[in-house]
Amino acid sequence: SYTTDTKSREENKKTLESLYSLSVDITKIRRLKQWVLLQDVAYVKEIAGILQEMGADETTVANIIERCPEAILHTPAEINSQRALWQLVCQNEKQLIKLIEQFPESFFTTEHHQNQKANILFFQELGLKNNIITRFLTSAPNIFYNPVEKNKNVIETLQRSYLHLGGSEANMKIWILKLLSQNPFILLNTSTTIQENLEFLQKNDFTDQEVLQLLSKLKGFIFQLNSTTMQKSMLFSKNVFKCSDQELKQLVLKCPALLYYSVPVLEERLEGLLKEGISIAQIRETPMVLELTTQIVQYRIKKLSALGYDIKSGNLESLNGTKKDFEVTYGKIQSKKERPIFNPVAPLHIED
């Protein structure tokens, strides 16, 4: 809706003056989004005034405008509506201004106002806590742009699937809320995709209980896949590990990444492990190691080698887990290495 032809137009002097008076770094705006400065109408003072009303100081106001210059092209009425909307889930204006400073683009997207409002109310009804909804607003704003009916439809499909797979009515709400808070992007899928992916797992002989287990382990990422890529990844793993369908199923349950990652990703990670002298048999024993990037694996092997720990002859479990998990494992191996071989205080039993 804005003109982006920069050659034939001049920068708006009134806009420039207003920005200078707010100590905004105009060179930053010129570099990022010069087209904003060319518009005939801008609401610099008005938007700054609203932000100041919410408790933003001069530096914060300048920082917000530098990061999201198109903020000044919105009318005060649009921004006040957005402010009222976000206040539905923010504790106070202090928290709100902090969020705007961190995620200005999310706040200043006002085009889907009615959908945003309907979705916020829907999520509250669903039982999502306000702090989770604010996290969605900032990190996954596009799920609010959907018509609320679409989001409701996806949630209903998930609920039906959960019950159909043997999940209990009593646990369903907790399961849905956990799934959503782990991965809100599942709402960008269609009900058909969800249905197809579940059917794919069932066709591959995963029991209902195992499918539920996979859904929880994959944090809903399974809904962002499709049967073709899952089929290819499973076939790749079957060939690499030379295993039967039943054994493959157990490997996937142990390490859902075998289903989630594409063949090129699995290939690259496998190659990285083999280069470090790790055998296929070791990887098959601990497939979760494929969840780590090659860089992380190399870094961890290097750290363990420095302690004299030989990963080639040992167990790969020590490589696994989050950064925190690895630090705990590393600490244990380190303290074991530093521990004295005998207790100097204990009495020595020496036979005559």
Side-chain angles (χ1 to χ4, degrees), residues 185-199:
F185 296 104
I186 55 177
L187 291 169
L188 299 177
N189 296 298
T190 64
S191 307
T192 320
T193 308
I194 292 173
Q195 214 53 57
E196 282 171 359
N197 287 355
L198 292 177
E199 279 166 19

Side-chain angles (χ1 to χ4, degrees), residues 184-346:
F185 296 104
I186 55 177
L187 291 169
L188 299 177
N189 296 298
T190 64
S191 307
T192 320
T193 308
I194 292 173
Q195 214 53 57
E196 282 171 359
N197 287 355
L198 292 177
E199 279 166 19
F200 168 80
L201 292 174
Q202 287 166 319
K203 276 178 197 160
N204 278 276
D205 294 328
F206 286 92
T207 65
D208 290 354
Q209 199 51 48
E210 286 167 344
V211 174
L212 266 186
Q213 193 186 323
L214 274 174
L215 296 192
S216 303
K217 275 193 173 181
L218 278 166
K219 300 174 180 172
F221 287 115
I222 192 165
F223 301 128
Q224 281 159 251
L225 304 172
N226 63 62
S227 50
T228 314
T229 54
M230 287 194 280
Q231 186 72 60
K232 283 178 182 169
S233 297
M234 281 176 74
L235 193 61
F236 172 77
S237 300
K238 190 179 176 181
N239 291 334
V240 165
F241 297 118
K242 297 183 171 45
C243 56
S244 68
D245 288 346
Q246 191 54 36
E247 287 168 330
L248 175 66
K249 201 175 81 161
Q250 292 312 313
L251 281 174
V252 169
L253 287 169
K254 218 174 175 184
C255 173
L258 295 177
L259 198 65
Y260 179 67
Y261 289 119
S262 66
V263 171
V265 171
L266 291 172
E267 253 174 345
E268 186 215 336
R269 292 184 179 186
L270 203 68
E271 220 170 277
L273 289 162
L274 297 174
K275 269 183 191 164
E276 295 294 334
I278 292 164
S279 70
I280 290 284
Q282 281 177 296
I283 301 166
R284 185 175 166 168
E285 197 58 42
T286 316
M288 293 78 76
V289 77
L290 290 166
E291 289 172 3
L292 305 168
T293 65
T294 306
Q295 288 79 356
I296 291 173
V297 167
Q298 285 169 342
Y299 167 76
R300 290 182 181 183
I301 289 175
K302 205 173 176 182
K303 279 200 82 168
L304 290 171
S305 298
L307 293 179
Y309 185 90
D310 183 16
I311 202 77
K312 290 195 273 292
S313 56
N315 190 313
L316 298 189
E317 286 290 344
S318 48
L319 288 177
N320 273 346
T322 60
K323 188 181 178 192
K324 200 176 173 185
D325 296 334
F326 175 71
E327 277 162 10
V328 170
T329 308
Y330 178 78
K332 281 180 187 169
I333 294 170
Q334 194 175 30
S335 60
K336 215 176 194 177
K337 190 176 185 289
E338 288 166 2
R339 205 178 292 143
I341 291 162
F342 68 96
N343 184 346
V345 199

